[in-house]
Amino acid sequence: MRNRTSPVTGARAMIPLAAATALLATGCGGSGDTARDERNDKDTEPVVATSFANAPRAYPLDAYRPTTAETSTVDHAVRVLAGPCLKKFGVSWPAYEASGAGIPLNARKYGPTDLDSVRVYGYKPPLPDGVTRQEAVAAQREAQARDKTITPAAAAVYTGTTQEAQKKGGTSTEVPAGVPEGGCHGQARRAALADRAADDLAKVQTLFFEASATTKKDPGSIALDKRWSACMQKAGLTYPDPLAAADDETWRTTRTSPNGPHPSFPAPSAKEIATAEADVRCKAATGYVAKRHAIESGHQKQLIEKNEAMLTAVNDRKRRMIERAETVVAKDKK
């Protein structure tokens, strides 16, 4: 029995171009350039030079998951390989669009780390380095425009799922006979050797979570959190650890201008910025990021040793998938 899903949700779940701008399309911010953040009236210039200069670097487990560039190559290959299938059923799909700059993978693992950034964004997600607000708004609109070009018939063929009626009283769009399992997208992922990529990534992510959990209980981490917390108390702020400060519900419920420096999030309050500044200063004073990174890396290495066989298989599949994707993309560019 075929799955059923809405045309927008089902289609977008399969579109790398929409995923590439997911950060720009999430949250509760304003709709664009109707009003500009009062601290940054030049939307054509990056708000800050960098938000990630002091962010944690790679972890041992990062070696077992594709990089952003590798994921982009696989997405490109899948789109190419889906082409003949889509053509067979007389439908089209938006052309592949390479994703632009993104936020480093582990950048916010311990919350914000750079003063220049929090003075603009507070605890809100920053734009990728070098991306202007104007560019972010344009990326949103371009992604939305591309989504609108996807017809229910194309979504049914691409995803292999029945598309529910777009409006009340309408009719659903069934999956045509002969469409492969998982749609043209599923067939293309199998051809790209990427059909197990999501499961493999989940396995690695599970180890990340396990290492984070054991790191939190590590005596070194506990002592580090206490030193950071004591530093914050000197500024009149009471939080047990950096993530508690970053996840403070106050930052989500305080009413501010909807047109923040990141177009998908409201502007941070003065209190939020002041707290985030104290947070970053206390991280610097305690050497928090480097020390916590070292502790967590140690826990990850232990898990890598315990799961060597599984991770070796994951890495082998990743290598073959990337090699296959690179071959497909190289042929497509000729």
Side-chain angles (χ1 to χ4, degrees):
M1 182 175 179
R2 300 283 187 180
N3 293 329
R4 303 178 76 87
T5 187
S6 69
V8 174
T9 303
R12 186 171 290 137
M14 298 292 185
I15 309 176
L17 62 88
T21 54
L23 178 64
L24 304 180
T26 306
C28 52
S31 60
D33 58 2
T34 54
R36 297 174 177 174
D37 181 73
E38 61 184 9
R39 295 182 309 279
N40 179 42
D41 58 2
K42 293 183 178 179
D43 283 0
T44 57
E45 296 179 6
V47 182
V48 295
T50 177
S51 292
F52 315 110
N54 298 302
R57 303 310 180 194
Y59 290 84
L61 280 169
D62 283 334
Y64 299 93
R65 53 186 182 183
T67 65
T68 300
E70 290 168 343
T71 298
S72 180
T73 299
V74 173
D75 287 344
H76 188 168
V78 168
R79 190 66 57 83
V80 171
L81 292 168
C85 175
L86 291 163
K87 186 176 181 180
K88 175 182 176 182
F89 291 94
V91 296
S92 62
W93 200 254
Y96 172 77
E97 292 281 345
S99 59
I103 292 177
L105 195 58
N106 304 302
R108 286 298 185 95
K109 189 168 179 62
Y110 310 129
T113 55
D114 291 79
L115 275 177
D116 286 347
S117 180
V118 297
R119 285 169 176 159
V120 173
Y121 298 105
Y123 284 107
K124 305 293 190 296
L127 290 173
D129 285 348
V131 174
T132 68
R133 190 180 191 283
Q134 187 178 74
E135 289 169 339
V137 171
Q140 283 181 327
R141 291 175 175 171
E142 288 168 6
Q144 291 165 357
R146 286 191 292 268
D147 282 357
K148 289 179 180 179
T149 68
I150 299 171
T151 65
V157 171
Y158 192 70
T159 66
T161 57
T162 296
Q163 303 297 295
E164 299 291 354
Q166 296 189 38
K167 51 187 175 181
K168 191 174 181 180
T171 57
S172 299
T173 302
E174 300 292 332
V175 179
V179 169
E181 184 67 27
C184 293
H185 177 264
Q187 182 185 66
R189 288 193 68 80
R190 291 189 289 274
L193 306 181
D195 49 312
R196 295 186 63 178
D199 287 340
D200 283 344
L201 181 60
K203 292 175 182 177
V204 178
Q205 289 295 90
T206 296
L207 296 183
F208 261 96
F209 296 144
E210 186 175 340
S212 292
T214 55
T215 296
K216 188 173 182 179
K217 298 176 182 178
D218 188 291
S221 294
I222 293 172
L224 193 57
D225 282 336
K226 287 181 178 179
R227 289 196 294 273
W228 175 89
S229 182
C231 177
M232 291 290 279
Q233 286 178 355
K234 292 177 182 178
L237 300 164
T238 304
Y239 294 102
D241 55 64
L243 291 186
D247 293 337
D248 190 330
E249 188 177 346
T250 304
W251 319 141
R252 295 190 296 276
T253 57
T254 301
R255 295 181 64 85
T256 62
S257 167
N259 296 290
H262 189 309
S264 292
F265 296 89
S269 65
K271 181 179 179 181
E272 178 179 343
I273 291 174
T275 302
E277 285 186 351
D279 176 355
V280 171
R281 288 195 182 95
C282 287
K283 285 192 179 92
T286 58
Y288 192 96
V289 174
K291 292 175 182 176
R292 185 69 178 249
H293 178 274
I295 295 170
E296 189 145 355
S297 293
H299 285 268
Q300 288 192 9
K301 288 175 182 177
Q302 292 176 12
L303 289 173
I304 289 172
E305 290 179 3
K306 288 173 58 178
N307 296 273
E308 182 179 5
M310 181 269 284
L311 289 172
T312 297
V314 165
N315 232 13
D316 185 56
R317 285 191 292 271
K318 176 169 74 79
R319 176 186 56 77
R320 288 186 282 110
M321 175 184 70
I322 293 167
E323 288 176 351
R324 169 65 169 151
E326 289 174 343
T327 299
V328 171
V329 170
K331 288 182 179 178
D332 182 57
K333 290 180 177 179
K334 289 182 178 179

